[in-house]
Each structure stands twice: as structure tokens, then as C-alpha cells.
Amino acid sequence: MAIDASPAFQTVTQSHDFRPEISASPSSAHDGLEFWQFMIAGSIAGLVEHMAMFPVDTLKTRMQIFGGSCSVQPIGVRQALGSILKLEGPAGLYRGIGAMGLGAGPAHAVYFSVYEIFKEYFSRGNPNSPVAHAVSGVFATVASDAVITPMDVVKQRLQLQSSPYKGVADCVRRVLVEEGVGAFYKSYRTTVVMNAPFTAVHFATYEAAKRGLMEVSPESATDERLVVHATAGAAAGALAAAVTTPLDVVKTQLQCQGVCGCDRFSSNSIGDVIRSLVMKDGYRSLMRGWIPRMLFHAPAAAICWSTYEASKTFFQELNGSDSSRT
């Protein structure tokens, strides 16, 4: 799973020891918002994004598992959707959504705080630097993935057909008892290796697309600016998702190994898993689920950026009303 944050804001002043201080000066607080307000806006955006697109994520997981370890025969989006609706009903598309709800909020909060600290340091007075955005996003990804990975493991195991777990709590308890706490982090290295380039591509594409669209209509109204953020976010999400699909397939195999008849791997090595998949189903196995993955990340990124900007606008208006009272 990949986490989004806006590279278009500055909220902290940074000392050389990387400890942020919230500035009380209105001129140094970008967009007139406090640091915690950016974090809340990001968390809301992340939750809305993942909840809205969760059924598509379920399709992706089913396709990657069926086409990877549990079955050699590939399965398409329509086939996966029809199978779920026929055998499990619409509720089958939402199995595991509780785990994502528990993990997405804290993970986005961690992402935003780490991202802001490193962006302030690497920008060096140039808030439009794509390199600073990309590098800061990578650091933020490493930290946030440590928070989201355990819940992502639970989510994907619950998404499997005939999942043996009754719910989030039951899955967490059984994994701890049967496999130990390390099972929650078997895919962490793969997740970081996947999300680091995903984030870099996403930020670089988003910034480039946003600047291009804003140059076309620099004096656009608020509604039009939201369309710009959504369009740029969708383009960035789709491209980043396509590029990193093979690593996402590996992540799914590691997180679901041994469950519902899926293969177990002798190590957590990315190379070992890739070799195993290629031997079983050829190189096409590494692109299982790329369509729903793109279908997830394109609108998900658009939803995330739009929700984020709307949340920022809410806080700006709230701060403005508070200032007028004083």
C-alpha cells in the first residue's frame, strides 16, 4: 500500500538538529495553518481515500493471490468481482476495512510529521524543489510504513477468499500466537522498497502536473483549483502504481503466505519470491492486479488531494473567523 501527503506547504521552522518548532508568526506559517492542522487534514484525506477505494483494493489482492501462489491461471477484474459478489455478496468487498481504518489515520499522521521536518531541511529556501519533495517523501515513507504494515498484513489476510479469521482482533491474536510478532513485518522491507520509488514518482509527477495545469489557469477559482489537485493527483497515482506493481505482488505474497493454501517462502527475500513466481507463472505473474492497482491509486490520489485541500480550506476559514473575533 502507498500513503499521500501534499508537498505544497511549509509549516515548521527547522533547526539543524531536526527538531521542529511551530512558528507563531503568521508570515512563517504557510497558508496560515498550524502544523497539527496539516496533520489532521492529511489523516482525514488518507482515511477518506482508503475507505472510498477499498473494494478495488480487495479485487487487487484477490487477483494477485489467485494469479500468483494459489493458482497458475490468471483472473481478470470482472471475474474477480463476479466471484466475490456471487459467493460472498457485496460485504465480501469490504472484509478487512476495519484494519485499514485503524492503520491509515496514525500512519498518515506519522507521514506528515516526518515529511514536514525533512522537507524543511532539504528545501533550503526552495519550496518548489522536486528533489526535496521526493527525498522527504522517501524518509516519510520509511517511518509511516512501520506503522501501517502490521495492519496491512491483517487487512490482506482478511480480504482472502475463505479467510480463516473472524475479524481484526481474531487475526491479530492468531498471528501473534501462531507466527509471532515478526509475521507482521515480514513484508516491511518489500513495502519500503516499493513505496520509496512510488512516493518519489508520485511527488515528482504531481508537482509537474500541478504546475502545468496551474499555468494554464493561474487565476482559477477554488473549485477549479480542486480539479487541478485531483487531476494532478490522479495522474501521479496511476503512473506510480503501474511502475511499482511487481513489488506490490511480492508484498502480497509475503503477507498472505501460508493462509488459504498460499505458498510459504523460505525467506523474506524479494529476489527469492520473484524467482518463485516467475518459475510458476512466468514474468506475467509480476503484473497481476496492475489494472485494479491503477484503478485504485488514480482516483484514490485524486480523492486524497481534493479532501486534503478541502480540509485545509476549512481550517483556513476557521482560523480566519478566530482572528476576526480577536
Side-chain angles (χ1 to χ4, degrees):
M1 170 219 77
I3 302 173
D4 301 314
S6 173
F9 54 82
Q10 300 270 346
T11 60
V12 297
T13 56
Q14 178 67 36
S15 62
H16 291 296
D17 61 358
F18 284 78
R19 283 180 288 186
E21 297 177 356
I22 303 300
S23 172
S25 172
S27 61
S28 61
H30 183 77
D31 288 345
L33 300 185
E34 299 292 341
F35 184 54
W36 65 268
Q37 292 175 321
F38 283 115
M39 292 180 65
I40 291 178
S43 295
I44 293 173
L47 284 169
V48 172
E49 165 200 353
H50 287 287
M51 298 301 103
M53 299 305 301
F54 194 83
V56 181
D57 184 66
T58 298
L59 292 177
K60 184 213 69 172
T61 297
R62 295 289 182 93
M63 290 175 67
Q64 289 181 340
I65 287 295
F66 291 164
S69 294
C70 295
S71 173
V72 175
Q73 295 301 319
I75 129 181
V77 176
R78 183 178 300 179
Q79 185 179 354
L81 178 60
S83 175
I84 293 173
L85 293 177
K86 180 179 179 180
L87 300 176
E88 306 167 55
L93 294 170
Y94 291 91
R95 278 185 58 84
I97 194 171
M100 182 51 62
L102 291 173
H108 276 73
V110 170
Y111 189 103
F112 268 68
S113 59
V114 174
Y115 179 81
E116 281 301 319
I117 293 171
F118 280 94
K119 189 190 70 173
E120 181 74 12
Y121 178 79
F122 287 117
S123 292
R124 299 293 188 181
N126 180 16
N128 294 321
S129 170
V131 175
H133 296 155
V135 174
S136 301
V138 170
F139 277 102
T141 294
V142 173
S144 62
D145 280 349
V147 177
I148 194 66
T149 295
M151 284 296 100
D152 194 50
V153 171
V154 174
K155 179 210 69 168
Q156 286 205 306
R157 292 192 176 201
L158 289 171
Q159 285 177 322
L160 297 178
Q161 185 179 23
S162 304
S163 173
Y165 308 108
K166 298 177 182 178
V168 175
D170 180 57
C171 183
V172 171
R173 180 184 61 81
R174 290 181 57 181
V175 170
L176 286 173
V177 172
E178 299 170 8
E179 304 175 53
V181 68
F184 290 113
Y185 285 95
K186 285 184 177 180
S187 65
Y188 177 64
R189 180 173 56 182
T190 304
T191 301
V192 170
V193 171
M194 174 186 70
N195 283 338
F198 180 98
T199 303
V201 172
H202 184 101
F203 275 114
T205 305
Y206 174 81
E207 281 299 303
K210 186 179 70 173
R211 282 197 298 270
L213 291 170
M214 291 298 286
E215 288 175 0
V216 173
S217 181
E219 302 298 330
S220 56
T222 300
D223 290 343
E224 293 175 339
R225 287 200 299 270
L226 288 177
V227 172
V228 168
H229 288 295
T231 304
L239 179 59
V243 170
T244 56
T245 292
L247 289 170
D248 188 56
V249 173
V250 173
K251 175 182 75 75
T252 299
Q253 307 305 317
L254 289 172
Q255 292 188 164
C256 298
Q257 59 181 311
V259 182
C260 297
C262 296
D263 290 346
R264 282 194 176 276
F265 300 94
S266 57
S267 74
N268 299 329
S269 167
I270 296 174
D272 288 347
V273 176
I274 289 177
R275 279 191 291 272
S276 175
L277 293 174
V278 171
M279 287 179 62
K280 192 168 187 176
D281 194 23
Y283 286 100
R284 66 177 184 174
S285 64
L286 300 178
M287 292 303 293
R288 299 299 184 193
W290 72 272
I291 293 178
R293 180 166 164 78
M294 288 186 65
L295 291 175
F296 174 92
H297 282 286
I303 291 170
C304 184
W305 290 116
S306 301
T307 305
Y308 177 76
E309 293 299 327
S311 299
K312 284 206 307 181
T313 300
F314 169 78
F315 282 123
Q316 287 169 340
E317 294 176 350
L318 183 64
N319 292 348
S321 63
D322 289 342
S323 299
S324 64
R325 293 194 188 99
T326 58

